[in-house]
Amino acid sequence: MSPRVGLAQICLAGVLWGTGGLAVHVIRDVEPLSVVTISAWRMLIGALFLLVAVAAVRQLGELRSLARRHPWRVAFVGVATATYQALYFAAVVAVGVTVSTVVSLGLAPVIVTVVESVRRRRAPGSVDLLVLAAALVGLVLVSVSAGSAGGPHPMLGVLASVGSGTAYALTTIVGHSLAQETPPLSLATASTTVGAIALAPLALVTGVGTDALGDPTVGLTLVYLGVLTMGLAYLLFYAGLRTAPGSSAAIATLLEPLTAAVLAAVLLDERLGLAGLLGGALILAAVAGLGRKPATTLDVSPAP
């Protein structure tokens, strides 16, 4: 499979993730579930969906083999995925949407680019830096245009955002090396299952919300979140990581906030504004630039 196909898969994953905010909005309009509870249900449903898929295509042997060969790396990716989500939601509450999005999603591609440059023992090229700069400026413009509700604990919110962005970067870096030697379905299933287990204690503290599941809107929206924005999206993400560089993946997933902003403008009547439109164009231009870059061979040997 070519790097462009892998990049397209990661872009689709980013678009699916971008619909998650609207889905959470739909749920909270009906039931005041905490975002941690919603995230825990999302990962649990995603894990169940992927486990059924693994059984259906008879890859249980591959899944067991992955768990035996790389137990700590799989556990790390799963916990990092859960940590990224939990810290991002905490940051949104503490400091608002704009700062959380810019710091968390903006930090990740920078970290991944630096790590890849160290692995290659070569500084990023001018095209890499131009693409990264365009993507980050676009992210800032889209986030600022979307607005921020602010928050009561700005310092804690920034720290949580930094932790979230770091966890996402580590998920991409370690997941990239695992994706080179593991079927994406097995990797997505294992990491999502670990993430669901990691979030379970937090969900018990914030409330499980089982009573809300009886509402058809809540139940169906949680299924959408789990199956499409978790199960399918991470399957596409890890499939794309087999051929696309990790830095390209981190930049391509900036389609997530762009998708969220466009959906909010179309369905929730939130104005995107000139800055948001310019930011969206910059993100799309950066992703298009990724598709025109020549493929690079990375050192993705497992860490000792």
Side-chain angles (χ1 to χ4, degrees):
M1 186 173 64
S2 72
R4 290 185 180 181
V5 173
L7 182 64
Q9 290 173 319
I10 293 169
C11 287
L12 182 54
V15 170
L16 286 172
W17 287 330
T19 67
L22 181 62
V24 170
H25 181 87
V26 169
I27 291 173
R28 288 173 62 85
D29 272 353
V30 178
E31 293 284 346
L33 294 178
S34 74
V35 287
V36 173
T37 299
I38 294 172
S39 185
W41 278 111
R42 175 193 182 203
M43 293 202 80
L44 175 60
I45 294 170
L48 292 174
F49 164 73
L50 289 169
L51 285 168
V52 170
V54 165
V57 299
R58 299 182 180 180
Q59 284 192 13
L60 288 172
E62 291 278 1
L63 185 60
R64 287 192 293 266
S65 176
L66 172 62
R68 285 195 303 266
R69 287 183 291 115
H70 305 293
W72 295 111
R73 291 164 68 194
V74 169
F76 181 88
V77 171
V79 171
T81 301
T83 301
Y84 154 65
Q85 293 189 46
L87 286 178
Y88 178 72
F89 289 142
V92 168
V93 174
V95 74
V97 175
T98 299
V99 173
S100 301
T101 302
V102 170
V103 174
S104 179
L105 294 182
L107 182 62
V110 174
I111 293 175
V112 177
T113 299
V114 169
V115 170
E116 288 189 349
S117 297
V118 170
R119 282 177 170 175
R120 293 195 303 261
R121 295 182 176 87
R122 187 171 69 249
S126 57
V127 174
D128 298 300
L129 293 176
L130 180 61
V131 167
L132 179 60
L136 295 181
V137 171
L139 173 64
V140 171
L141 291 174
V142 168
S143 300
V144 170
S145 178
S148 174
H153 305 292
M155 183 58 68
L156 287 176
V158 170
L159 290 175
S161 299
V162 170
S164 175
T166 303
Y168 177 56
L170 293 174
T171 299
T172 302
I173 293 166
V174 179
H176 188 279
S177 63
L178 280 174
Q180 307 308 303
E181 51 186 292
T182 304
L185 179 57
S186 299
L187 179 54
T189 303
S191 59
T192 303
T193 301
V194 171
I197 295 171
L199 278 180
L202 289 176
L204 291 175
V205 172
T206 59
V208 178
T210 50
D211 294 340
L213 298 182
D215 186 281
T217 300
V218 173
L220 290 173
T221 307
L222 283 174
V223 169
Y224 171 83
L225 280 171
V227 172
L228 292 180
T229 74
M230 194 73 221
L232 180 58
Y234 272 95
L235 177 58
L236 288 166
F237 180 68
Y238 289 125
L241 280 181
R242 294 174 72 87
T243 56
S247 56
S248 296
I251 292 172
T253 51
L254 294 185
L255 288 174
E256 175 185 352
L258 176 58
T259 301
V262 171
L263 286 176
V266 173
L267 300 178
L268 302 180
D269 199 27
E270 295 182 8
R271 293 186 178 180
L272 196 56
L274 181 59
L277 292 173
L278 178 59
L282 283 172
I283 291 175
L284 292 176
V287 173
L290 293 175
R292 297 178 65 87
K293 284 171 54 181
T296 55
T297 302
L298 302 178
D299 174 12
V300 291
S301 56

